[in-house]
PDB file of all heavy atoms in Angstrom:
ATOM      1  N   GLY A   1      61.002  65.278  61.858  1.00  0.00           N
ATOM      2  CA  GLY A   1      61.721  64.433  62.812  1.00  0.00           C
ATOM      3  C   GLY A   1      61.052  64.297  64.159  1.00  0.00           C
ATOM      4  O   GLY A   1      61.565  63.606  65.037  1.00  0.00           O
ATOM      5  N   GLU A   2      59.890  64.961  64.344  1.00  0.00           N
ATOM      6  CA  GLU A   2      59.209  64.923  65.636  1.00  0.00           C
ATOM      7  C   GLU A   2      57.834  64.269  65.547  1.00  0.00           C
ATOM      8  O   GLU A   2      57.037  64.375  66.473  1.00  0.00           O
ATOM      9  CB  GLU A   2      59.041  66.346  66.189  1.00  0.00           C
ATOM     10  CG  GLU A   2      60.365  67.062  66.444  1.00  0.00           C
ATOM     11  CD  GLU A   2      60.149  68.486  66.909  1.00  0.00           C
ATOM     12  OE1 GLU A   2      58.977  68.924  66.972  1.00  0.00           O
ATOM     13  OE2 GLU A   2      61.142  69.178  67.206  1.00  0.00           O
ATOM     14  N   SER A   3      57.550  63.602  64.444  1.00  0.00           N
ATOM     15  CA  SER A   3      56.230  63.000  64.278  1.00  0.00           C
ATOM     16  C   SER A   3      56.062  61.801  65.196  1.00  0.00           C
ATOM     17  O   SER A   3      57.029  61.271  65.757  1.00  0.00           O
ATOM     18  CB  SER A   3      56.020  62.569  62.822  1.00  0.00           C
ATOM     19  OG  SER A   3      56.851  61.457  62.516  1.00  0.00           O
ATOM     20  N   PHE A   4      54.821  61.360  65.308  1.00  0.00           N
ATOM     21  CA  PHE A   4      54.522  60.204  66.151  1.00  0.00           C
ATOM     22  C   PHE A   4      55.249  58.964  65.636  1.00  0.00           C
ATOM     23  O   PHE A   4      55.743  58.153  66.417  1.00  0.00           O
ATOM     24  CB  PHE A   4      53.012  59.973  66.163  1.00  0.00           C
ATOM     25  CG  PHE A   4      52.576  58.841  67.043  1.00  0.00           C
ATOM     26  CD1 PHE A   4      52.875  58.842  68.390  1.00  0.00           C
ATOM     27  CD2 PHE A   4      51.865  57.773  66.526  1.00  0.00           C
ATOM     28  CE1 PHE A   4      52.472  57.805  69.213  1.00  0.00           C
ATOM     29  CE2 PHE A   4      51.463  56.734  67.339  1.00  0.00           C
ATOM     30  CZ  PHE A   4      51.762  56.756  68.679  1.00  0.00           C
ATOM     31  N   LEU A   5      55.332  58.826  64.309  1.00  0.00           N
ATOM     32  CA  LEU A   5      56.021  57.675  63.736  1.00  0.00           C
ATOM     33  C   LEU A   5      57.512  57.715  64.066  1.00  0.00           C
ATOM     34  O   LEU A   5      58.127  56.679  64.351  1.00  0.00           O
ATOM     35  CB  LEU A   5      55.808  57.639  62.219  1.00  0.00           C
ATOM     36  CG  LEU A   5      56.290  56.382  61.487  1.00  0.00           C
ATOM     37  CD1 LEU A   5      55.646  55.147  62.082  1.00  0.00           C
ATOM     38  CD2 LEU A   5      55.982  56.482  60.008  1.00  0.00           C
ATOM     39  N   ASP A   6      58.105  58.911  64.043  1.00  0.00           N
ATOM     40  CA  ASP A   6      59.519  59.041  64.428  1.00  0.00           C
ATOM     41  C   ASP A   6      59.720  58.599  65.875  1.00  0.00           C
ATOM     42  O   ASP A   6      60.680  57.906  66.204  1.00  0.00           O
ATOM     43  CB  ASP A   6      59.982  60.499  64.275  1.00  0.00           C
ATOM     44  CG  ASP A   6      60.106  60.912  62.822  1.00  0.00           C
ATOM     45  OD1 ASP A   6      60.652  60.129  62.037  1.00  0.00           O
ATOM     46  OD2 ASP A   6      59.641  62.006  62.482  1.00  0.00           O
ATOM     47  N   LYS A   7      58.786  59.020  66.748  1.00  0.00           N
ATOM     48  CA  LYS A   7      58.878  58.629  68.155  1.00  0.00           C
ATOM     49  C   LYS A   7      58.698  57.126  68.312  1.00  0.00           C
ATOM     50  O   LYS A   7      59.360  56.485  69.130  1.00  0.00           O
ATOM     51  CB  LYS A   7      57.829  59.376  68.978  1.00  0.00           C
ATOM     52  CG  LYS A   7      58.072  60.883  69.063  1.00  0.00           C
ATOM     53  CD  LYS A   7      56.964  61.568  69.846  1.00  0.00           C
ATOM     54  CE  LYS A   7      57.176  63.077  69.885  1.00  0.00           C
ATOM     55  NZ  LYS A   7      56.082  63.777  70.590  1.00  0.00           N
ATOM     56  N   MET A   8      57.784  56.558  67.531  1.00  0.00           N
ATOM     57  CA  MET A   8      57.559  55.115  67.587  1.00  0.00           C
ATOM     58  C   MET A   8      58.836  54.359  67.260  1.00  0.00           C
ATOM     59  O   MET A   8      59.242  53.437  67.960  1.00  0.00           O
ATOM     60  CB  MET A   8      56.459  54.700  66.597  1.00  0.00           C
ATOM     61  CG  MET A   8      55.049  54.997  67.053  1.00  0.00           C
ATOM     62  SD  MET A   8      53.846  54.510  65.800  1.00  0.00           S
ATOM     63  CE  MET A   8      54.143  52.746  65.749  1.00  0.00           C
ATOM     64  N   ILE A   9      59.479  54.765  66.161  1.00  0.00           N
ATOM     65  CA  ILE A   9      60.705  54.089  65.729  1.00  0.00           C
ATOM     66  C   ILE A   9      61.774  54.215  66.794  1.00  0.00           C
ATOM     67  O   ILE A   9      62.463  53.251  67.141  1.00  0.00           O
ATOM     68  CB  ILE A   9      61.190  54.675  64.384  1.00  0.00           C
ATOM     69  CG1 ILE A   9      60.178  54.350  63.271  1.00  0.00           C
ATOM     70  CG2 ILE A   9      62.568  54.127  64.028  1.00  0.00           C
ATOM     71  CD1 ILE A   9      60.449  55.062  61.974  1.00  0.00           C
ATOM     72  N   SER A  10      61.918  55.414  67.350  1.00  0.00           N
ATOM     73  CA  SER A  10      62.916  55.648  68.387  1.00  0.00           C
ATOM     74  C   SER A  10      62.654  54.799  69.621  1.00  0.00           C
ATOM     75  O   SER A  10      63.560  54.181  70.190  1.00  0.00           O
ATOM     76  CB  SER A  10      62.939  57.128  68.762  1.00  0.00           C
ATOM     77  OG  SER A  10      63.843  57.363  69.813  1.00  0.00           O
ATOM     78  N   MET A  11      61.374  54.742  70.045  1.00  0.00           N
ATOM     79  CA  MET A  11      61.029  53.977  71.245  1.00  0.00           C
ATOM     80  C   MET A  11      61.198  52.483  71.028  1.00  0.00           C
ATOM     81  O   MET A  11      61.705  51.766  71.891  1.00  0.00           O
ATOM     82  CB  MET A  11      59.590  54.271  71.664  1.00  0.00           C
ATOM     83  CG  MET A  11      59.345  55.687  72.134  1.00  0.00           C
ATOM     84  SD  MET A  11      60.363  56.133  73.556  1.00  0.00           S
ATOM     85  CE  MET A  11      61.209  57.545  72.882  1.00  0.00           C
ATOM     86  N   VAL A  12      60.753  52.000  69.860  1.00  0.00           N
ATOM     87  CA  VAL A  12      60.837  50.566  69.587  1.00  0.00           C
ATOM     88  C   VAL A  12      62.292  50.116  69.510  1.00  0.00           C
ATOM     89  O   VAL A  12      62.658  49.038  69.959  1.00  0.00           O
ATOM     90  CB  VAL A  12      60.086  50.222  68.280  1.00  0.00           C
ATOM     91  CG1 VAL A  12      60.346  48.787  67.863  1.00  0.00           C
ATOM     92  CG2 VAL A  12      58.595  50.432  68.474  1.00  0.00           C
ATOM     93  N   GLU A  13      63.144  50.948  68.938  1.00  0.00           N
ATOM     94  CA  GLU A  13      64.566  50.605  68.861  1.00  0.00           C
ATOM     95  C   GLU A  13      65.218  50.608  70.236  1.00  0.00           C
ATOM     96  O   GLU A  13      66.300  50.066  70.421  1.00  0.00           O
ATOM     97  CB  GLU A  13      65.290  51.609  67.956  1.00  0.00           C
ATOM     98  CG  GLU A  13      65.012  51.390  66.482  1.00  0.00           C
ATOM     99  CD  GLU A  13      65.774  52.370  65.613  1.00  0.00           C
ATOM    100  OE1 GLU A  13      65.930  53.527  66.029  1.00  0.00           O
ATOM    101  OE2 GLU A  13      66.207  51.986  64.526  1.00  0.00           O
ATOM    102  N   GLY A  14      64.546  51.210  71.215  1.00  0.00           N
ATOM    103  CA  GLY A  14      65.094  51.226  72.573  1.00  0.00           C
ATOM    104  C   GLY A  14      66.185  52.247  72.764  1.00  0.00           C
ATOM    105  O   GLY A  14      66.927  52.197  73.750  1.00  0.00           O
ATOM    106  N   ALA A  15      66.285  53.205  71.826  1.00  0.00           N
ATOM    107  CA  ALA A  15      67.382  54.175  71.907  1.00  0.00           C
ATOM    108  C   ALA A  15      67.289  55.040  73.161  1.00  0.00           C
ATOM    109  O   ALA A  15      68.293  55.464  73.702  1.00  0.00           O
ATOM    110  CB  ALA A  15      67.361  55.071  70.668  1.00  0.00           C
ATOM    111  N   LYS A  16      66.066  55.266  73.642  1.00  0.00           N
ATOM    112  CA  LYS A  16      65.889  56.144  74.798  1.00  0.00           C
ATOM    113  C   LYS A  16      65.472  55.380  76.045  1.00  0.00           C
ATOM    114  O   LYS A  16      64.982  55.959  76.996  1.00  0.00           O
ATOM    115  CB  LYS A  16      64.854  57.230  74.478  1.00  0.00           C
ATOM    116  CG  LYS A  16      65.283  58.166  73.360  1.00  0.00           C
ATOM    117  CD  LYS A  16      64.255  59.253  73.145  1.00  0.00           C
ATOM    118  CE  LYS A  16      64.677  60.198  72.031  1.00  0.00           C
ATOM    119  NZ  LYS A  16      63.678  61.261  71.801  1.00  0.00           N
ATOM    120  N   ARG A  17      65.636  54.076  76.014  1.00  0.00           N
ATOM    121  CA  ARG A  17      65.200  53.276  77.154  1.00  0.00           C
ATOM    122  C   ARG A  17      66.068  53.583  78.377  1.00  0.00           C
ATOM    123  O   ARG A  17      67.290  53.561  78.308  1.00  0.00           O
ATOM    124  CB  ARG A  17      65.288  51.787  76.824  1.00  0.00           C
ATOM    125  CG  ARG A  17      64.864  50.914  77.995  1.00  0.00           C
ATOM    126  CD  ARG A  17      65.037  49.442  77.675  1.00  0.00           C
ATOM    127  NE  ARG A  17      64.675  48.652  78.830  1.00  0.00           N
ATOM    128  CZ  ARG A  17      65.528  48.332  79.806  1.00  0.00           C
ATOM    129  NH1 ARG A  17      66.769  48.731  79.749  1.00  0.00           N
ATOM    130  NH2 ARG A  17      65.134  47.617  80.830  1.00  0.00           N
ATOM    131  N   GLN A  18      65.429  53.874  79.487  1.00  0.00           N
ATOM    132  CA  GLN A  18      66.137  54.144  80.731  1.00  0.00           C
ATOM    133  C   GLN A  18      65.825  53.049  81.741  1.00  0.00           C
ATOM    134  O   GLN A  18      64.776  52.409  81.683  1.00  0.00           O
ATOM    135  CB  GLN A  18      65.714  55.496  81.295  1.00  0.00           C
ATOM    136  CG  GLN A  18      66.068  56.666  80.381  1.00  0.00           C
ATOM    137  CD  GLN A  18      65.610  57.983  80.962  1.00  0.00           C
ATOM    138  OE1 GLN A  18      64.866  58.026  81.930  1.00  0.00           O
ATOM    139  NE2 GLN A  18      66.067  59.073  80.373  1.00  0.00           N
ATOM    140  N   LYS A  19      66.746  52.834  82.667  1.00  0.00           N
ATOM    141  CA  LYS A  19      66.500  51.832  83.706  1.00  0.00           C
ATOM    142  C   LYS A  19      65.398  52.301  84.640  1.00  0.00           C
ATOM    143  O   LYS A  19      65.310  53.476  84.972  1.00  0.00           O
ATOM    144  CB  LYS A  19      67.792  51.573  84.501  1.00  0.00           C
ATOM    145  CG  LYS A  19      68.827  50.758  83.746  1.00  0.00           C
ATOM    146  CD  LYS A  19      69.979  50.350  84.652  1.00  0.00           C
ATOM    147  CE  LYS A  19      70.955  49.436  83.927  1.00  0.00           C
ATOM    148  NZ  LYS A  19      72.042  48.975  84.800  1.00  0.00           N
ATOM    149  N   THR A  20      64.571  51.364  85.051  1.00  0.00           N
ATOM    150  CA  THR A  20      63.477  51.677  85.966  1.00  0.00           C
ATOM    151  C   THR A  20      64.000  51.705  87.403  1.00  0.00           C
ATOM    152  O   THR A  20      65.083  51.173  87.690  1.00  0.00           O
ATOM    153  CB  THR A  20      62.382  50.617  85.850  1.00  0.00           C
ATOM    154  OG1 THR A  20      62.909  49.360  86.293  1.00  0.00           O
ATOM    155  CG2 THR A  20      61.908  50.481  84.417  1.00  0.00           C
ATOM    156  N   PRO A  21      63.259  52.313  88.339  1.00  0.00           N
ATOM    157  CA  PRO A  21      63.692  52.321  89.747  1.00  0.00           C
ATOM    158  C   PRO A  21      63.938  50.919  90.293  1.00  0.00           C
ATOM    159  O   PRO A  21      64.899  50.683  91.028  1.00  0.00           O
ATOM    160  CB  PRO A  21      62.519  52.998  90.459  1.00  0.00           C
ATOM    161  CG  PRO A  21      61.910  53.880  89.426  1.00  0.00           C
ATOM    162  CD  PRO A  21      62.051  53.129  88.129  1.00  0.00           C
ATOM    163  N   ASN A  22      63.060  49.980  89.934  1.00  0.00           N
ATOM    164  CA  ASN A  22      63.225  48.600  90.395  1.00  0.00           C
ATOM    165  C   ASN A  22      64.500  47.993  89.837  1.00  0.00           C
ATOM    166  O   ASN A  22      65.243  47.294  90.536  1.00  0.00           O
ATOM    167  CB  ASN A  22      62.005  47.776  89.967  1.00  0.00           C
ATOM    168  CG  ASN A  22      62.072  46.353  90.471  1.00  0.00           C
ATOM    169  OD1 ASN A  22      62.799  45.530  89.924  1.00  0.00           O
ATOM    170  ND2 ASN A  22      61.308  46.059  91.505  1.00  0.00           N
ATOM    171  N   GLU A  23      64.764  48.300  88.575  1.00  0.00           N
ATOM    172  CA  GLU A  23      65.967  47.780  87.928  1.00  0.00           C
ATOM    173  C   GLU A  23      67.229  48.392  88.533  1.00  0.00           C
ATOM    174  O   GLU A  23      68.242  47.714  88.715  1.00  0.00           O
ATOM    175  CB  GLU A  23      65.892  48.082  86.431  1.00  0.00           C
ATOM    176  CG  GLU A  23      66.841  47.262  85.572  1.00  0.00           C
ATOM    177  CD  GLU A  23      66.586  47.453  84.096  1.00  0.00           C
ATOM    178  OE1 GLU A  23      65.573  48.076  83.734  1.00  0.00           O
ATOM    179  OE2 GLU A  23      67.411  46.976  83.295  1.00  0.00           O
ATOM    180  N   ILE A  24      67.161  49.684  88.854  1.00  0.00           N
ATOM    181  CA  ILE A  24      68.302  50.349  89.491  1.00  0.00           C
ATOM    182  C   ILE A  24      68.570  49.741  90.865  1.00  0.00           C
ATOM    183  O   ILE A  24      69.719  49.474  91.238  1.00  0.00           O
ATOM    184  CB  ILE A  24      68.040  51.865  89.607  1.00  0.00           C
ATOM    185  CG1 ILE A  24      68.011  52.504  88.208  1.00  0.00           C
ATOM    186  CG2 ILE A  24      69.107  52.533  90.466  1.00  0.00           C
ATOM    187  CD1 ILE A  24      67.573  53.953  88.213  1.00  0.00           C
ATOM    188  N   ALA A  25      67.487  49.507  91.627  1.00  0.00           N
ATOM    189  CA  ALA A  25      67.627  48.899  92.955  1.00  0.00           C
ATOM    190  C   ALA A  25      68.235  47.507  92.847  1.00  0.00           C
ATOM    191  O   ALA A  25      69.098  47.121  93.651  1.00  0.00           O
ATOM    192  CB  ALA A  25      66.269  48.827  93.643  1.00  0.00           C
ATOM    193  N   LEU A  26      67.799  46.750  91.836  1.00  0.00           N
ATOM    194  CA  LEU A  26      68.336  45.408  91.649  1.00  0.00           C
ATOM    195  C   LEU A  26      69.808  45.462  91.249  1.00  0.00           C
ATOM    196  O   LEU A  26      70.620  44.642  91.700  1.00  0.00           O
ATOM    197  CB  LEU A  26      67.522  44.671  90.583  1.00  0.00           C
ATOM    198  CG  LEU A  26      67.916  43.216  90.306  1.00  0.00           C
ATOM    199  CD1 LEU A  26      67.897  42.392  91.584  1.00  0.00           C
ATOM    200  CD2 LEU A  26      66.991  42.609  89.257  1.00  0.00           C
ATOM    201  N   THR A  27      70.165  46.441  90.425  1.00  0.00           N
ATOM    202  CA  THR A  27      71.565  46.605  90.028  1.00  0.00           C
ATOM    203  C   THR A  27      72.439  46.896  91.245  1.00  0.00           C
ATOM    204  O   THR A  27      73.540  46.352  91.381  1.00  0.00           O
ATOM    205  CB  THR A  27      71.703  47.748  88.995  1.00  0.00           C
ATOM    206  OG1 THR A  27      70.910  47.441  87.850  1.00  0.00           O
ATOM    207  CG2 THR A  27      73.155  47.922  88.567  1.00  0.00           C
ATOM    208  N   ILE A  28      71.927  47.758  92.132  1.00  0.00           N
ATOM    209  CA  ILE A  28      72.672  48.062  93.370  1.00  0.00           C
ATOM    210  C   ILE A  28      72.847  46.801  94.209  1.00  0.00           C
ATOM    211  O   ILE A  28      73.924  46.549  94.778  1.00  0.00           O
ATOM    212  CB  ILE A  28      71.943  49.162  94.172  1.00  0.00           C
ATOM    213  CG1 ILE A  28      71.970  50.481  93.390  1.00  0.00           C
ATOM    214  CG2 ILE A  28      72.577  49.337  95.550  1.00  0.00           C
ATOM    215  CD1 ILE A  28      71.126  51.579  94.017  1.00  0.00           C
ATOM    216  N   LEU A  29      71.785  45.988  94.292  1.00  0.00           N
ATOM    217  CA  LEU A  29      71.868  44.726  95.035  1.00  0.00           C
ATOM    218  C   LEU A  29      72.928  43.806  94.435  1.00  0.00           C
ATOM    219  O   LEU A  29      73.736  43.206  95.159  1.00  0.00           O
ATOM    220  CB  LEU A  29      70.506  44.025  95.029  1.00  0.00           C
ATOM    221  CG  LEU A  29      70.475  42.600  95.617  1.00  0.00           C
ATOM    222  CD1 LEU A  29      70.827  42.626  97.098  1.00  0.00           C
ATOM    223  CD2 LEU A  29      69.107  41.959  95.402  1.00  0.00           C
ATOM    224  N   LEU A  30      72.946  43.722  93.106  1.00  0.00           N
ATOM    225  CA  LEU A  30      73.910  42.847  92.435  1.00  0.00           C
ATOM    226  C   LEU A  30      75.343  43.337  92.659  1.00  0.00           C
ATOM    227  O   LEU A  30      76.263  42.536  92.860  1.00  0.00           O
ATOM    228  CB  LEU A  30      73.609  42.771  90.938  1.00  0.00           C
ATOM    229  CG  LEU A  30      72.246  42.175  90.551  1.00  0.00           C
ATOM    230  CD1 LEU A  30      72.104  42.113  89.039  1.00  0.00           C
ATOM    231  CD2 LEU A  30      72.058  40.800  91.158  1.00  0.00           C
ATOM    232  N   ILE A  31      75.523  44.653  92.613  1.00  0.00           N
ATOM    233  CA  ILE A  31      76.857  45.213  92.870  1.00  0.00           C
ATOM    234  C   ILE A  31      77.292  44.908  94.301  1.00  0.00           C
ATOM    235  O   ILE A  31      78.453  44.537  94.554  1.00  0.00           O
ATOM    236  CB  ILE A  31      76.855  46.734  92.609  1.00  0.00           C
ATOM    237  CG1 ILE A  31      76.641  47.024  91.119  1.00  0.00           C
ATOM    238  CG2 ILE A  31      78.168  47.358  93.082  1.00  0.00           C
ATOM    239  CD1 ILE A  31      76.463  48.495  90.812  1.00  0.00           C
ATOM    240  N   THR A  32      76.361  45.052  95.239  1.00  0.00           N
ATOM    241  CA  THR A  32      76.662  44.773  96.646  1.00  0.00           C
ATOM    242  C   THR A  32      77.080  43.314  96.834  1.00  0.00           C
ATOM    243  O   THR A  32      78.079  43.017  97.507  1.00  0.00           O
ATOM    244  CB  THR A  32      75.441  45.079  97.523  1.00  0.00           C
ATOM    245  OG1 THR A  32      75.067  46.456  97.334  1.00  0.00           O
ATOM    246  CG2 THR A  32      75.754  44.845  98.989  1.00  0.00           C
ATOM    247  N   LEU A  33      76.315  42.411  96.229  1.00  0.00           N
ATOM    248  CA  LEU A  33      76.658  40.985  96.334  1.00  0.00           C
ATOM    249  C   LEU A  33      78.002  40.696  95.689  1.00  0.00           C
ATOM    250  O   LEU A  33      78.790  39.879  96.194  1.00  0.00           O
ATOM    251  CB  LEU A  33      75.561  40.142  95.670  1.00  0.00           C
ATOM    252  CG  LEU A  33      74.212  40.097  96.396  1.00  0.00           C
ATOM    253  CD1 LEU A  33      73.182  39.354  95.557  1.00  0.00           C
ATOM    254  CD2 LEU A  33      74.359  39.415  97.758  1.00  0.00           C
ATOM    255  N   THR A  34      78.270  41.370  94.571  1.00  0.00           N
ATOM    256  CA  THR A  34      79.556  41.173  93.891  1.00  0.00           C
ATOM    257  C   THR A  34      80.713  41.610  94.781  1.00  0.00           C
ATOM    258  O   THR A  34      81.732  40.912  94.902  1.00  0.00           O
ATOM    259  CB  THR A  34      79.580  41.964  92.569  1.00  0.00           C
ATOM    260  OG1 THR A  34      78.514  41.502  91.728  1.00  0.00           O
ATOM    261  CG2 THR A  34      80.904  41.771  91.835  1.00  0.00           C
ATOM    262  N   VAL A  35      80.549  42.772  95.422  1.00  0.00           N
ATOM    263  CA  VAL A  35      81.599  43.271  96.320  1.00  0.00           C
ATOM    264  C   VAL A  35      81.788  42.317  97.505  1.00  0.00           C
ATOM    265  O   VAL A  35      82.920  42.017  97.900  1.00  0.00           O
ATOM    266  CB  VAL A  35      81.242  44.689  96.820  1.00  0.00           C
ATOM    267  CG1 VAL A  35      82.218  45.131  97.910  1.00  0.00           C
ATOM    268  CG2 VAL A  35      81.252  45.683  95.661  1.00  0.00           C
ATOM    269  N   ILE A  36      80.679  41.827  98.055  1.00  0.00           N
ATOM    270  CA  ILE A  36      80.763  40.901  99.193  1.00  0.00           C
ATOM    271  C   ILE A  36      81.537  39.644  98.815  1.00  0.00           C
ATOM    272  O   ILE A  36      82.431  39.186  99.547  1.00  0.00           O
ATOM    273  CB  ILE A  36      79.342  40.537  99.692  1.00  0.00           C
ATOM    274  CG1 ILE A  36      78.697  41.747 100.368  1.00  0.00           C
ATOM    275  CG2 ILE A  36      79.394  39.356 100.662  1.00  0.00           C
ATOM    276  CD1 ILE A  36      77.250  41.540 100.731  1.00  0.00           C
ATOM    277  N   PHE A  37      81.202  39.070  97.649  1.00  0.00           N
ATOM    278  CA  PHE A  37      81.887  37.838  97.233  1.00  0.00           C
ATOM    279  C   PHE A  37      83.340  38.097  96.823  1.00  0.00           C
ATOM    280  O   PHE A  37      84.186  37.214  96.940  1.00  0.00           O
ATOM    281  CB  PHE A  37      81.115  37.159  96.102  1.00  0.00           C
ATOM    282  CG  PHE A  37      79.951  36.336  96.588  1.00  0.00           C
ATOM    283  CD1 PHE A  37      78.650  36.671  96.256  1.00  0.00           C
ATOM    284  CD2 PHE A  37      80.160  35.221  97.391  1.00  0.00           C
ATOM    285  CE1 PHE A  37      77.579  35.920  96.713  1.00  0.00           C
ATOM    286  CE2 PHE A  37      79.096  34.462  97.849  1.00  0.00           C
ATOM    287  CZ  PHE A  37      77.803  34.812  97.510  1.00  0.00           C
ATOM    288  N   MET A  38      83.637  39.310  96.369  1.00  0.00           N
ATOM    289  CA  MET A  38      85.039  39.653  96.098  1.00  0.00           C
ATOM    290  C   MET A  38      85.835  39.631  97.403  1.00  0.00           C
ATOM    291  O   MET A  38      86.964  39.122  97.447  1.00  0.00           O
ATOM    292  CB  MET A  38      85.127  41.035  95.432  1.00  0.00           C
ATOM    293  CG  MET A  38      84.678  41.058  93.979  1.00  0.00           C
ATOM    294  SD  MET A  38      84.793  42.697  93.223  1.00  0.00           S
ATOM    295  CE  MET A  38      86.572  42.889  93.124  1.00  0.00           C
TER     296      MET A  38
END
């Protein structure tokens, strides 16, 4: 369960995909704009 092929399948499926710093910053911006327009 720890082979390179297992890791490939896991990564390609996106099961362990995490948000990037840029994406997190953009999410915060979107939340801020949403609150402002509310």
Side-chain angles (χ1 to χ4, degrees):
E2 298 177 357
S3 70
F4 182 58
L5 189 56
D6 289 316
K7 293 178 182 178
M8 283 179 63
I9 294 171
S10 177
M11 294 301 122
V12 171
E13 285 182 324
K16 296 183 180 180
R17 179 183 178 272
Q18 297 179 349
K19 286 189 175 183
T20 65
N22 183 283
E23 197 172 351
I24 293 172
L26 183 55
T27 301
I28 294 173
L29 172 64
L30 298 182
I31 293 173
T32 302
L33 290 174
T34 300
V35 172
I36 290 173
F37 279 116
M38 287 180 70

